[in-house]
Amino acid sequence: WADPFPVERDGNYFVFIEEILAHEKRGRISVLELRAGEEPQKPLPVLERPYHLSYPFVFQRKTDTFMIPETGRNKRVELYRSVDFPGGWKLEQVLLENVRAVDATLLELDGRWWMFVNIGVEGGSNNDELHIFHAQRPQGPWKPHRYNPVKSDVRSSRPAGRFFWWGQKLLRPAQDCSARYGYAISFNEVKRLTPTDYAEVEVSRIEPRWKPGLLATHTYNRIGRLTIVDAMHRTFRWRGSPGLGHNRSRGGES
């Protein structure tokens, strides 16, 4: 489970996640329902495709609920609309095509929509370069920022969750992939955002040190009274038959 994006409905939370099963080679989008005073429900698959899905960026516009899952292996950025929440997602629009785009994150600000997304060139990493696009509505058409890529820094380019306000500061969570993929979370205050200008500065970080044994932490989201992050840790599985002296530990990550 990774990339948690919570949605609040009637006092309960629905957390959309990337879920990869051990026997599968691609991820799907599932949802966990959190009810006050109860254990989390079993994840319910809500969106599967013949290609990998992750980073289920879910957002609300008027009475509609939309999702932009990461579909970089299909070389598209796809917008889905919920027709039966929390499942029943229908492809609404292809926003970008023929791009190795990952973790598209939208922001509505001053009457304009902005898409922050990392795009990698063929043969290169998609962790390094942040691109911005802007439009009058989420369905587009999306126009590229004049100075794309607006940022080239493996430590704080790739999106790591929704934008949020902290007092008067607009913060953008980003992944620090310098030590490994999704190693830490960098919080960047947006200083200037126009179709021809962009500036941000790092103001805080979350590193994988808040619990022993963590290897990485790379998504941060908050809504209502819920703040949620993901983390990677090492687990061990035992092989062999008990008592025969053949047991060996094998490290794994989850």
Side-chain angles (χ1 to χ4, degrees), residues 236-240 245-251:
F236 293 91
R237 300 177 182 175
W238 291 94
R239 285 180 173 177
H246 298 302
N247 291 354
R248 293 183 299 171
S249 64
R250 179 171 63 89

Side-chain angles (χ1 to χ4, degrees), residues 31-50:
V31 64
L32 287 162
E33 185 175 354
L34 305 181
R35 294 178 177 269
E38 298 182 13
E39 291 294 320
Q41 301 294 312
K42 182 180 178 180
L44 172 68
V46 294
L47 185 61
E48 296 186 67
R49 287 292 182 265

Side-chain angles (χ1 to χ4, degrees), residues 61 92-93 106 111-113 134-142:
R61 188 185 188 221
E92 176 89 356
Q93 190 89 21
L106 267 56
R112 189 188 298 266
W113 286 83
H134 56 93
Q136 294 302 314
R137 61 192 191 119
Q139 292 86 348
W142 290 90

